[in-house]
Amino acid sequence: MRRATAVDVAKTAQRLTRIDYLDGLGIAIGPQGAAFVHLAKRFWRVSLRHVRLVPLPASGVERASALTRALVQFVEDIHVVPDQVVLALPRHAACVSRVIVPETARGSLRQIIDYEVERLLPFPKDDIYYDFLTYDLAGEERRLGVIVFGLPRREVEEHVELLMHAQIRPQVVTVSTSALMNILAFCRPPADGPRVLVAAEDGQVECCVVDNNHLAASFLFPSAQAQNLDGLTDLLAQGIARSLPGVSPTEVEVFTCGSNNSVPLPGESERDLATLAASRFSQAGADLLSPAALPAVGAALQAIGEGALEINLLPLDKRARREKRLSPLTLVLAGVVALLGITWAVGVVVQEHRILRSLSQQMQALDPEVRQVQAQEAEA
């Protein structure tokens, strides 16, 4: 009984740690345009406040100027200074690699990746920013799978500089893979079974393989290779076989994102990421969600602490500090958490005293019988 109570208290405390009062700004930049999303978190409630899609020129000074003006105007329109800003760049600009290491290497994993990054990614170490995720591999031998993401340093710094011109400095730079997976985890309850997210954009298709709620693989292929549903199914089956040996493709739940006439994505609305997001954010503005806005929504989820994949490609010295402001609600929440902690500690002490008092009473009740038995033994 006491163990169950402790578990309940631990779950309650974990849930209380997710309480916050935050405004997050998610920015996603693609080849054809940019998306800005403002999410607000009040206690546990997450609401979609503003969404804006902005078309951009293909390249050049005009593109940079248009992005800066649009971002400045968006921040002015929402009348909020975001506590945290997350920038998501497209997946096709990133390099992704996977490596398997022994479980014993977990403690020194950062040093191992730093040493092996030039072998894992097709860039010199000084020309890229990178980060990694880990997941446990099934089997008798305890091993770790490591997914390494890398982006060219020049591209990251150019986009951060553009945001700085708009007086916005991101604390996190991630990729659309992480952003889309954040939406899937937020809108669909976690499941132990394998999942696949298929995202089509700009002539390419990304396949994200998820095992036990951890990203196991991310790979790209040209949309020309999937001219029909059978071709797409074969490509997914090959990716699943490489990433999840022994798992049948029929056991995998497939979700889709994006609209591309050249890729015949399955049309199941209950597994379409845009539909899931629109139903999850039922407030005004959810009907504006489109596949182009989803990476910005996932980035905003990470900005308010609701991200499932915490990828940050910026090095520590390049990350801005979180613009967290103390509010009366924050102080009240801190007081509630402290009060609950004290109440739990006092309850444990009181319970222990009750048990000791009960044992003492039982001993006193048995004391005459014990004395009688001792007397009989002495007489015998």
Side-chain angles (χ1 to χ4, degrees):
M1 180 68 179
R2 198 190 315 172
R3 182 178 179 182
T5 303
V7 172
D8 293 339
V9 171
K11 289 183 177 179
T12 303
Q14 184 178 7
R15 181 170 172 78
L16 286 173
T17 59
R18 302 184 69 88
I19 297 178
D20 219 326
Y21 189 94
L22 287 173
D23 288 277
L25 174 60
I27 303 171
I29 300 177
Q32 299 178 356
F36 310 138
V37 171
H38 168 215
L39 290 182
K41 186 175 184 180
R42 304 293 184 261
F43 290 91
W44 293 286
R45 185 171 177 266
V46 177
S47 58
L48 178 68
R49 297 294 178 87
H50 301 89
V51 179
R52 184 169 299 174
L53 298 176
V54 180
L56 297 175
S59 61
V61 179
E62 295 82 2
R63 178 181 174 89
S65 300
L67 176 61
T68 302
R69 290 194 304 269
L71 184 55
V72 170
Q73 187 62 49
F74 181 76
V75 174
E76 291 179 356
D77 292 343
I78 65 177
H79 303 293
V80 169
V81 177
D83 298 288
Q84 186 153 284
V85 180
V86 177
L87 170 64
L89 297 178
R91 166 64 174 85
H92 63 77
C95 298
V96 180
S97 182
R98 186 174 71 154
V99 64
I100 297 174
V101 299
E103 169 68 25
T104 54
R106 185 187 293 271
S108 57
L109 198 53
R110 171 63 67 178
Q111 291 81 358
I112 294 174
I113 298 302
D114 290 344
Y115 183 77
E116 296 286 338
V117 68
E118 290 190 347
R119 184 180 63 85
L120 297 173
L121 302 177
F123 290 101
K125 181 179 179 180
D126 294 336
D127 294 342
I128 57 173
Y129 289 139
Y130 54 92
D131 198 5
F132 61 90
L133 301 169
T134 62
Y135 64 98
D136 295 323
L137 289 171
E140 297 181 358
E141 298 182 2
R142 301 193 64 182
R143 297 180 298 168
L144 289 177
V146 184
I147 309 295
V148 183
F149 290 83
L151 274 171
R153 177 176 297 194
R154 179 180 177 182
E155 182 166 354
V156 174
E157 292 179 348
E158 286 179 353
H159 285 94
V160 171
E161 186 177 354
L162 289 177
L163 269 61
M164 292 288 287
H165 289 163
Q167 305 300 317
I168 294 293
R169 186 178 180 186
Q171 287 84 4
V172 178
V173 174
T174 185
V175 292
S176 59
T177 301
S178 172
L180 296 178
M181 295 305 301
N182 288 340
I183 298 176
L184 180 59
F186 184 76
C187 298
R188 193 76 172 222
D192 294 333
R195 295 178 172 186
V196 170
L197 175 62
V198 184
E201 182 181 7
D202 296 321
Q204 290 186 318
V205 180
E206 179 186 8
C207 180
C208 302
V209 182
V210 181
D211 185 26
N212 292 327
N213 300 311
H214 295 282
L215 183 67
S218 171
F219 56 89
L220 291 174
F221 55 84
S223 58
Q225 296 182 7
Q227 295 293 336
N228 52 56
L229 189 58
D230 292 336
L232 177 62
T233 303
D234 291 340
L235 290 171
L236 294 181
Q238 296 174 16
I240 293 171
R242 292 194 303 268
S243 308
L244 304 174
V247 177
S248 172
T250 57
E251 303 173 6
V252 179
E253 196 174 12
V254 180
F255 294 85
T256 60
C257 173
S259 58
N260 193 326
N261 295 330
S262 62
V263 179
L265 297 178
E268 300 175 353
S269 60
E270 67 273 10
R271 294 183 181 178
D272 177 70
L273 207 58
T275 304
L276 290 174
S279 60
R280 178 63 176 81
F281 297 105
S282 57
Q283 301 87 357
D287 55 342
L288 299 177
L289 286 179
S290 66
L294 293 181
V297 175
L301 285 172
Q302 186 171 350
I304 61 173
E306 293 289 339
L309 299 184
E310 298 292 339
I311 296 176
N312 191 354
L313 297 169
L314 287 177
L316 292 177
D317 59 337
K318 298 286 186 179
R319 299 177 185 179
R321 292 186 178 181
R322 171 175 158 180
E323 298 295 333
K324 178 60 180 171
R325 302 176 302 276
L326 288 177
S327 65
L329 179 58
T330 304
L331 297 176
V332 170
L333 292 177
V336 170
V337 172
L339 179 61
L340 289 175
I342 295 173
T343 303
W344 174 77
V346 172
V348 171
V349 174
V350 171
Q351 182 69 15
E352 294 292 342
H353 279 290
R354 287 179 179 175
I355 295 174
L356 291 175
R357 187 167 60 251
S358 176
L359 291 174
S360 178
Q361 292 174 354
Q362 293 177 12
M363 291 176 62
Q364 292 177 1
L366 293 174
D367 186 70
E369 298 180 6
V370 172
R371 292 181 181 276
Q372 182 179 0
V373 170
Q374 291 176 343
Q376 293 174 353
E377 288 180 351
E379 183 180 356

